[in-house]
Structure formats: structure tokens, C-alpha cells
Amino acid sequence: MNNINYIYRYISCILLSSVLFSCVDQLDKSPLDSFDNATFWSNEGNAELALTGVYRGGIVQNGTSVNPSNWWAYDGLLFMEFASDNAYDRRGDNSAFHRLSNGTLTSSINILNSYWSSSYKNIANCNFFLENVDQVPMDDLKKERMKSEVRFLRAAQYYYMSQFWGSVPLVEKTLSPAEANSVKKASKAEIVAFVLKEFGEIVDYLPSHAGLPSAQRGRVTQQTVLAFTGRLQLSEKKFSEAAKTYAEIIEMGENIIDPDYAGLFLKTNENSDEIIFSTQYIDNLAANGMLQHFFPAIAGGWHLFNPLGSMVESYDFTDGSKFSFDSPQYDPKNVGKNRDPRLKASVLFDGSTFKGTYVTHPDSSSSPDQLGAGKQTTQTGFGLKKFADESFSGNLTNYGGNLPIIRYAEILLSYLEAKLEAGQAITQADLDQTINKVRGRASVGMPPITTTDPSALREILRKERRVELAFEGIRYWDLLRWDIAKEVLNADFYGASFPGAKKQRLKGGQADPKSRWYVTSRKFRDGVDNTWPIPQSEVNINPSLE
């Protein structure tokens, strides 16, 4: 298998199954341990089973792997925060995710291969389904819904690849080995056009959010397709079109801003009507290792996820004023005091309560989470509270909490951004129906925004996205599409502030004026790191992918 590329590796698995089935047919028997493709597509139940397989291949990933299996696995989505100014990977500067943005990105980084191979595996599964499902005798509308779901899953792979690679092969059918080894790239414009065309053609065959039975949560809806359409239109600067797309979701009136912000990321409220699309996990069956990765040491976790100080400093005070170390509202011994409530819901800081007292002070002598004590503890002085389900008491590698992919809060903020960037006049009513609805949820209650000045509002809106969507895998994409990564990711990054601490980590021998722990420096290369290189292992097989 070493002489063929990943596109073919996964397509060939399907072809090999077909060959094996045909050999069994010569014996006039059906296989006892697998499905016979010649007879499988014979009824609606089997079509549903195949559809489940396509979903599972594209979304669910079990266990505690540290390399992403796909865009919607928790490690594939949330670990993308490590490439941004929001979080640091406890494994250190050589973490593959850090290398996406710290000036050391190369085509041999392992996660590039993981994302690439996973995408084409999922595309191959989708193509195989679409090439066979018409054989099934069943209601035409049900069949069109299934095909539309699969077309969405396929187009979504290309959406992500267009955002991070730009130009990639556009594969819409099962390929022969020769075709796979010589396939050429389509331009980014062609990929984007394909995705938008697919999304536009399938949306009417899908149920809306309110029309989806609770037992089918996790399946694609009209709002899911429109939300991804809006994302792509935003990134392509089709702002007027994006505003119309997001307005369509809003006008449906089926989604809400849930009053309980923290609960959206826990099992207790994981299927809130704020969640438009999510990865559905099940304890012990289709579980994930989020809690093993995210819990602090005091709770038996590996503390892989470390929020950066710049993220924590982006949370305003409760009166709406910007955070400052010099403000009388700031309490260095209680970072969450007088701060936007979303801080306490998202970040663990020294003195937080989490299955005990979370202690990160570098002068502590007994805490397993002491900053600077070793590689198995926090590297910033902060820990992840969002997604860390404190009520869970089972095996941390078998957690069944869902992973939100798109929330209604993002829709409202994106709608406002689209109108703003399209040059449309913003009114107070616009603010109240979007950003103020998000900030004003019952558990948050931050003061409303009143400025409609485009320049000032742009700054406010971008910070609101960072705070509201913190650690959900969106910040790195935002930095790239706003074209500000070249500024934001060319900087020194610090962690928590510990005034008077005996132990410090200095940058170049210089203490930070705010007594913060030095973490890392990044040197994002504009024009180089804006898009990912295609994995070198693929280029070695097929030079046309260069």
C-alpha cells in the first residue's frame, strides 16, 4: 500500500470489499461476517445502516487519540485552538498544532496527513453511498433526504479543505488506482463553487431543526447547511450573500439563545435548541476522551489544554469596561471576580473549585497542578473549564458528552459581521437582535453594546466572537479569514499573573511588568503559513499535488 496515495487507500478498501464479495458469489454463498454489496442495497433498513456508517466515518471518533481523525472529532476541532492566541498545548512548542502558526510549518507535520487522509476517506465513503443508494426500493423523498445528507457531509470536507489548503483534488466518484495516483488539484475557486452549489441544491430536501425528531439529533438539517453556507460566504468575502443566508436561519425562528451558557457544553443541556449541529457521543459505546485530556491533574486528567493569558485578559469586567491589571476591579487572587461570567464558565484559574481546589500558584509545594512543576501540569497557570464535565464520575476515556460544531450564537454574531462588512447601516435594533442577545443571556448579563460606528463595532464584535466562542475551534479560522494572523501570531505569549511569586519564568531574562509567566513566542510567516502545504507523503506519490 506504500506506493499509492491516501485518496486511493481508502477508496481501494471499498473496491477490495466488492472484489471479495464477487468471489464469494462464485460459490453461491453470502459472506457470514460482512455485507455482500451485490445484495446489500435491497431495502430501506440497509440504506439507513449505510447512512449511519457514513456519518460515523465523518463525525464520531472514539478513544483518546492525540492526532485528529477528522474535522468534527473533539481532538480535530478543539485542538485547533492551539494554533491560535487562545490556548497552549501542554506538550510544548513542538506540538504539531503550534507548528501551524509559530513559523515552523512544513509539509511533513503529522496532523496534516491525518486531516488529509481522513477527508478523502470520508469523501470516498460518501461517493460510494451515492453511487449505490439508487438501487434501494424506497420512498423517493426519504432517499433524496439521505442523499442530501451525504452530499452535505462530502461538501463539508471540501469546505474545510478549501479553508486550510485552498487548492485540492475534487473527487466526485470512485477512482481507479491510476486515476488516484495522477489526480490533479482543482483551484480554490472551483472547490468553493462546488461546495456552494451542493449546499444550494440539497437544503430543501432536509428537515428543519424543529422538524427533526429528538432521536435523530446529530443529523443534518436545513439550518446546518445554511450555517456552513454562511461560513463559506464570510470567508470568501461574499458579505451581502452571507447576511441573507444568516437572515434565513434567524427568520425560521426555531433556534434560541439558551439562558444557561455553561450548560451548553455539558451533557445536561447538550441538545439545547441553541445547538445547530453537533458531534453526538454516547458513554462507553461511541465515546470520547475529552475529559482525560482536559481535566486537571487534581481530577485525574492530563491537563493537555492550557488557556493563554491573552485569552483570559480578553474578558471584560462586568460593567462592560475593558480588563486592565491596573483597574481596582481586578483581584489577582481571584481572577474571575468582577469579570464577564463566561470567564468562570470557560477557564479554571488558581483557586477555582473543581473536584477540589485547583491550585496553580508556582510557589505551591503540594498541588499536582502547580505551574512549572513539570510537563504533566499546566503550562500557563490556567485550565479548561468549558467541556470539563465535573459531574462525570466514570472512566475519563469513555465520556459521552456531545461536541457543538455550530451554535445559534455564532449565527447571530456572523449575521452582524456580514451586514457590517457589506457596508450596510447598523441600527440599535440590529445590535439588540444579535450581539446584545448573545451578551444578554440570563447567565451572562453583560451590558448591551450601543455603538454603531463601523470601526469601533468591528473591534467589539471580533472580541465578542473570541469570548463567546472561546475554545470551540473557531478562533484560528477567524484569524486567517480576517487576515490578522500575521499580527496576532507574531508575539510573545504569557500565562497567569502571580505578583510576588518566588518562582517565575522569564522571557530572555526579563520579568514581565504584569508578573505573568512566560509561555512561548510565535512567528507566523505571512504568505507562507496562511495555507497548509499538502502532506509530503502525498506529493512524493503524485507530484502534481505540489
Side-chain angles (χ1 to χ4, degrees):
M1 299 290 283
N2 291 331
N3 64 338
I4 53 179
N5 66 21
Y6 269 118
I7 300 175
Y8 175 63
R9 286 182 194 179
Y10 291 104
I11 295 174
S12 65
C13 291
I14 299 171
L15 294 175
L16 179 59
S17 298
S18 299
V19 171
L20 290 175
F21 291 149
S22 65
C23 292
V24 172
D25 285 345
Q26 292 177 14
L27 300 176
D28 196 29
K29 294 181 179 180
S30 293
L32 301 178
D33 60 350
S34 61
F35 292 111
D36 182 345
N37 195 54
T39 59
F40 176 80
W41 304 95
S42 60
N43 60 73
E44 182 178 332
N46 282 359
E48 291 277 5
L49 187 63
L51 178 62
T52 300
V54 175
Y55 267 101
R56 184 175 177 82
I59 297 179
V60 176
Q61 179 249 331
N62 300 333
T64 56
S65 71
V66 293
N67 288 327
S69 63
N70 57 62
W71 308 105
W72 294 330
Y74 76 93
D75 50 5
L77 179 64
L78 304 187
F79 286 10
M80 201 78 79
E81 293 286 295
F82 299 150
S84 79
D85 54 344
N86 279 1
Y88 186 76
D89 185 340
R90 190 261 293 155
R91 291 167 289 184
D93 287 349
N94 287 327
S95 160
F97 288 95
H98 291 156
R99 296 188 63 191
L100 295 176
S101 62
N102 70 2
T104 64
L105 174 62
T106 69
S107 59
S108 61
I109 294 177
N110 59 350
I111 59 171
L112 301 182
N113 216 27
S114 295
Y115 282 117
W116 178 276
S117 59
S118 170
S119 292
Y120 281 108
K121 173 186 176 182
N122 295 330
I123 289 166
N125 288 340
C126 291
N127 288 340
F128 185 73
F129 181 95
L130 293 170
E131 289 167 355
N132 285 277
V133 72
D134 280 333
Q135 302 175 48
V136 180
M138 60 180 293
D139 179 78
D140 287 342
L141 287 179
K142 287 184 179 180
K143 186 183 295 184
E144 284 302 321
R145 177 190 172 187
M146 288 185 185
K147 291 165 68 174
S148 296
E149 289 175 82
V150 173
R151 288 174 68 184
F152 168 79
L153 296 173
R154 181 178 63 179
Q157 302 300 310
Y158 285 116
Y159 157 77
Y160 284 105
M161 297 179 87
S162 76
Q163 299 305 289
F164 298 114
W165 274 292
S167 176
V168 298
L170 179 57
V171 181
E172 299 179 65
K173 65 174 185 176
T174 300
L175 301 180
S176 68
E179 289 172 324
N181 284 339
S182 60
V183 66
K184 299 216 173 9
K185 294 187 294 183
S187 67
K188 180 181 179 182
E190 290 173 317
I191 300 295
V192 169
F194 170 78
V195 174
L196 291 176
K197 178 176 178 292
E198 288 289 282
F199 287 166
E201 290 179 356
I202 65 177
V203 66
D204 289 337
Y205 290 104
L206 297 167
S208 69
H209 177 85
L212 190 70
S214 58
Q216 294 183 17
R217 282 297 175 93
R219 291 180 67 173
V220 179
T221 65
Q222 292 180 354
Q223 283 91 338
T224 309
V225 176
L226 291 171
F228 269 87
T229 301
R231 275 187 177 179
L232 186 51
Q233 290 168 333
L234 272 186
S235 69
E236 295 304 303
K237 304 188 185 308
K238 299 177 183 291
F239 298 121
S240 295
E241 292 95 326
K244 292 178 182 178
T245 298
Y246 287 122
E248 191 171 346
I249 300 175
I250 296 169
E251 289 164 4
M252 287 180 176
E254 297 180 0
N255 297 99
I256 64 168
I257 292 298
D258 198 292
D260 180 13
Y261 180 76
L264 290 169
F265 313 102
L266 305 175
K267 290 176 66 176
T268 53
N269 201 25
E270 62 185 5
N271 285 320
S272 163
D273 285 330
E274 182 167 335
I275 309 298
I276 286 179
F277 190 58
S278 63
T279 303
Q280 303 277 309
Y281 289 108
I282 304 173
D283 288 351
N284 302 313
L285 294 175
N288 65 67
M290 270 197 285
L291 303 191
Q292 184 67 74
H293 279 146
F294 298 161
F295 270 16
I298 193 175
W302 296 348
H303 213 307
L304 219 61
F305 206 109
N306 299 251
L308 284 164
S310 63
M311 177 70 244
V312 175
E313 293 159 26
S314 68
Y315 291 88
D316 290 337
F317 291 111
T318 51
D319 64 2
S321 60
K322 290 183 179 180
F323 170 79
S324 170
F325 287 102
D326 300 323
S327 170
Q329 297 187 74
Y330 170 60
D331 183 351
K333 295 184 179 180
N334 183 0
V335 175
K337 184 178 179 181
N338 301 321
R339 304 287 292 281
D340 184 328
R342 289 173 291 189
L343 173 56
K344 287 184 179 180
S346 304
V347 178
L348 293 171
F349 46 84
D350 187 50
S352 293
T353 300
F354 190 89
K355 293 186 179 288
T357 302
Y358 177 68
V359 177
T360 67
H361 197 291
D363 293 345
S364 170
S365 59
S366 59
S367 172
D369 292 298
Q370 178 189 5
L371 178 60
K375 293 183 178 180
Q376 299 302 313
T377 185
T378 178
Q379 302 298 298
T380 66
F382 298 117
L384 184 67
K385 178 67 181 296
K386 184 181 280 191
F387 302 109
D389 193 339
E390 190 176 7
S391 68
F392 186 74
S393 59
N395 187 320
L396 298 184
T397 64
N398 287 316
Y399 180 58
N402 293 347
L403 177 67
I405 307 300
I406 292 189
R407 296 190 285 118
Y408 189 55
E410 179 188 339
I411 303 305
L412 296 184
L413 297 178
S414 296
Y415 172 64
L416 181 60
E417 178 182 343
K419 289 196 67 174
L420 176 66
E421 300 301 344
Q424 300 177 22
I426 303 298
T427 66
Q428 187 61 47
D430 290 324
L431 298 177
D432 291 341
Q433 291 303 309
T434 55
I435 190 171
N436 288 336
K437 187 170 288 188
V438 172
R439 292 167 57 86
R441 73 171 86 224
S443 60
V444 174
M446 289 295 289
I449 301 301
T450 58
T451 183
T452 57
D453 173 73
S455 181
L457 183 57
R458 180 177 295 108
E459 180 181 351
I460 291 169
L461 178 56
R462 289 184 176 184
K463 184 167 75 169
E464 185 66 23
R465 281 183 69 93
R466 186 181 188 189
V467 167
E468 172 66 24
L469 306 174
F471 314 131
E472 295 179 46
I474 295 173
R475 176 66 173 176
Y476 174 62
W477 176 69
D478 276 350
L479 294 178
L480 291 177
R481 72 185 180 86
W482 290 332
D483 195 28
I484 62 173
K486 58 191 175 187
E487 300 148 12
V488 173
L489 299 177
N490 265 306
D492 299 328
F493 289 91
Y494 292 84
S497 172
F498 294 101
K502 296 178 181 179
K503 296 179 182 178
Q504 302 180 51
R505 189 178 182 212
L506 311 180
K507 167 66 165 52
Q510 299 295 314
D512 176 63
K514 305 302 181 184
S515 301
R516 295 173 299 179
W517 187 272
Y518 171 69
V519 178
T520 191
S521 297
R522 291 180 177 156
K523 297 180 179 179
F524 185 91
R525 300 166 298 180
D526 189 35
V528 176
D529 297 334
N530 309 75
T531 54
W532 298 350
I534 289 177
Q536 188 60 46
S537 58
E538 297 296 315
V539 176
N540 290 342
I541 297 164
N542 182 0
S544 66
L545 297 179
E546 182 71 60

